[in-house]
Amino acid sequence: MKIYNTLTRTKEEFVPIEPGKVRMYVCGPTVYNLIHIGNARPMIFFDSVRRYLEYKGYEVNYVSNFTDVDDKIIKAALAEGVDSSVISERYIEECKKDMAGMDVKPATTHPKATEEIDGMIDMISDLIEKDHAYEVNGTVYFRVRSFKEYGKLSGKNLDDLESGNRTLLVTGEDEKEDPMDFVLWKPKKEGEPYWESPWGQGRPGWHIECSVMSKKYLGEEIDIHGGGEDLIFPHHENEIAQSEACSGHVFAHYWMHNAFLNINNVKMSKSLGNFLLVRDISKQYDLSVLRFFMLSAHYRSPLNFSPELMEAAKNGLDRIHTAMKRMKDELGKGLAGAETADEKAAREAFAARFEAAMDDDFNTADAISVIFEMVKHANTLKPEETTAEGWEALRNTLLRLADILGIEEPKEELLDADIEALIEERQAARKAKNYARADEIRKELADKGILLEDTKEGVKWKRK
Ligand code: AMP
Ligand code: ZN
């Protein structure tokens, strides 16, 4: 399996630190608003990376943080007159709903920056001790010149950066030894959240958060570190400097960056105001369509959002769903006997081509083409000319491969009357103390996308 490594600018064979295991960290969102579909691109893509690694048999420890202390969160909190934790908690919950809608599996751990402050203070103290950081008037800076490899990820040269930065020095930062130095800890300002530290009350800088959370949940040396390409500099460059200056060895072996999701060929971002929320899209489409649209391009190519492409994604996904439904409906109707050699060979060839696409730096666009070809092949099959076993094996392969991309077999639509009948049966089962049956019904409904809520006024239900 090959991965394009931003650090070496080449596709490299993937060799995990520990055989059979992958330690992977992806920078998560700053939670001050609902996520936009640009933020959704890394979430969806890296979820498929994780699913593919799991398909290949790796045990994946996947960590993705929530940045829940930040100027933008504080600003939103001041505007609403609430504590900043109210804002961050609210948008973490909303983000999780959007992730579930897009079929993004929860990470192994979703650490929150505000719960990891002790680790940050420890790492900053360590950096000061090792002369890689210094404190001035309650602010701690990283001494960039002390880390000889600074710039290796972004390919930036320290002297070029220096001359560019000199003019950028703003008041209050002239206490820095060098204009390149960046903040690890900043003193509190009135009305802002703060923590006690050896350098007074204050809060951490953004970059140190990820170095610390990655170290705590994955160890000092990890396999894959990912995020959008806007994070290469300065965020990931600074993470490398902090982590490697502290540990004395390599931090992450493979650096992966997704290209931007654009709108009218301009990066979608909150600051430019040209964004569409995942929540907006969900009013018009099932979010599985958004996911399919995102994966229809290679992750290192910019992807331009347009209503036409979303419609095309919807039509493509419908085609796959229709085939999946037929594969299910016709199960068991084929010929008796074992799967034939030809059936097996055809099925395995699809899986091999799908894997070859994904092994080539996670080429989801090509992987989707293989799924379409499989669908085309399945559509030409007739149960009376296919073994029932071969039919089922092909269906299982299709479902297994599609699942890596987050494409699921369509759920059977239940009519309102059917749902209500099942709810009544569940109530009766509960009355008769047959809790096993009652739970079974709840699960059956949940599998079909129906959520039950027991309220004082009785059982309420809604479609997911
Ligand atoms: P932020 O909340 O801005 O820190 O971003 C969270 C994640 O979304 C980071 O990995 C960003 O690189 C990524 N991201 C933000 N905007 C876009 C975009 N328009 N296209 C692709 N990725 C993005
Ligand atoms: Zn980060």
Side-chain angles (χ1 to χ4, degrees), residues 25-28 65 67 206-207 210-211 225-226 231 235-236 239:
Y25 186 96
V26 175
C27 295
N65 67 297
T67 294
W206 170 37
H207 316 300
C210 289
S211 282
H225 193 118
L231 300 187
H235 186 52
H236 288 164
E239 277 188 43

Side-chain angles (χ1 to χ4, degrees), residues 158-420:
L158 264 186
D159 294 321
D160 292 350
L161 279 173
E162 189 97 348
S163 54
N165 252 341
R166 212 171 283 285
T167 48
L168 292 178
L169 257 194
V170 283
T171 5
E173 291 221 323
D174 46 6
E175 59 190 21
K176 285 200 240 179
E177 284 178 5
D178 187 299
M180 288 293 307
D181 295 350
F182 60 87
V183 171
L184 299 172
W185 185 267
K186 49 186 140 191
K188 97 168 212 211
K189 286 198 203 120
E190 212 32 58
E192 291 188 353
Y194 65 90
W195 289 264
E196 300 292 338
S197 83
W199 320 287
Q201 297 173 334
R203 62 185 166 103
W206 170 37
H207 316 300
I208 194 75
E209 296 176 6
C210 289
S211 282
V212 167
M213 291 187 270
S214 173
K215 177 178 165 185
K216 174 162 172 189
Y217 295 98
L218 298 170
E220 274 180 352
E221 201 170 337
I222 70 169
D223 294 298
I224 299 174
H225 193 118
E229 67 182 12
D230 51 335
L231 300 187
I232 298 174
F233 187 86
H235 186 52
H236 288 164
E237 195 70 66
N238 291 354
E239 277 188 43
I240 292 178
Q242 298 161 155
S243 295
E244 299 191 359
C246 227
S247 72
H249 56 74
V250 164
F251 171 34
H253 289 211
Y254 303 87
W255 286 87
M256 294 178 67
H257 294 97
N258 63 272
F260 291 143
L261 178 83
N262 292 334
I263 193 155
N264 298 324
N265 297 310
V266 177
K267 179 196 171 192
M268 182 176 287
S269 77
K270 283 191 188 135
S271 53
L272 291 174
N274 60 349
F275 61 87
L276 274 169
L277 300 173
V278 170
R279 215 44 77 82
D280 296 333
I281 298 291
S282 74
K283 292 187 186 125
Q284 211 183 336
Y285 292 101
D286 188 288
L287 289 177
S288 57
V289 176
L290 179 66
R291 180 174 181 126
F292 190 67
F293 159 75
M294 291 287 181
L295 296 177
S296 66
H298 188 269
Y299 76 98
R300 285 190 291 113
S301 305
L303 176 57
N304 208 33
F305 178 86
S306 74
E308 293 76 25
L309 284 178
M310 280 297 283
E311 269 308 297
K314 181 178 182 304
N315 293 336
L317 193 58
D318 280 349
R319 206 152 20 111
I320 298 170
H321 282 157
T322 306
M324 282 178 166
K325 192 171 173 311
R326 176 170 171 263
M327 295 296 288
K328 185 178 179 186
D329 290 346
E330 310 280 327
L331 263 182
K333 290 192 187 157
L335 306 169
E339 177 184 36
T340 67
D342 281 355
E343 287 169 349
K344 187 161 187 261
R347 174 169 62 79
E348 286 180 348
F350 285 122
R353 286 177 49 217
F354 182 97
E355 287 176 25
M358 292 298 279
D359 281 346
D360 183 14
D361 192 30
F362 304 98
N363 193 333
T364 55
D366 282 0
I368 288 177
S369 309
V370 177
I371 298 283
F372 277 131
E373 284 175 41
M374 248 179 125
V375 160
K376 209 166 137 195
H377 168 74
N379 288 346
T380 62
L381 298 182
K382 297 189 180 102
E384 60 274 18
E385 293 169 4
T386 313
T387 65
E389 208 178 83
W391 186 277
E392 186 175 354
L394 181 67
R395 169 176 180 258
N396 289 342
T397 304
L398 175 63
L399 292 181
R400 192 139 181 255
L401 299 179
D403 180 67
I404 294 164
L405 305 172
I407 305 169
E408 289 179 350
E409 189 174 59
K411 297 197 172 64
E412 270 174 47
E413 279 282 322
L414 280 180
L415 298 174
D416 289 6
D418 297 334
I419 298 168
E420 272 145 27

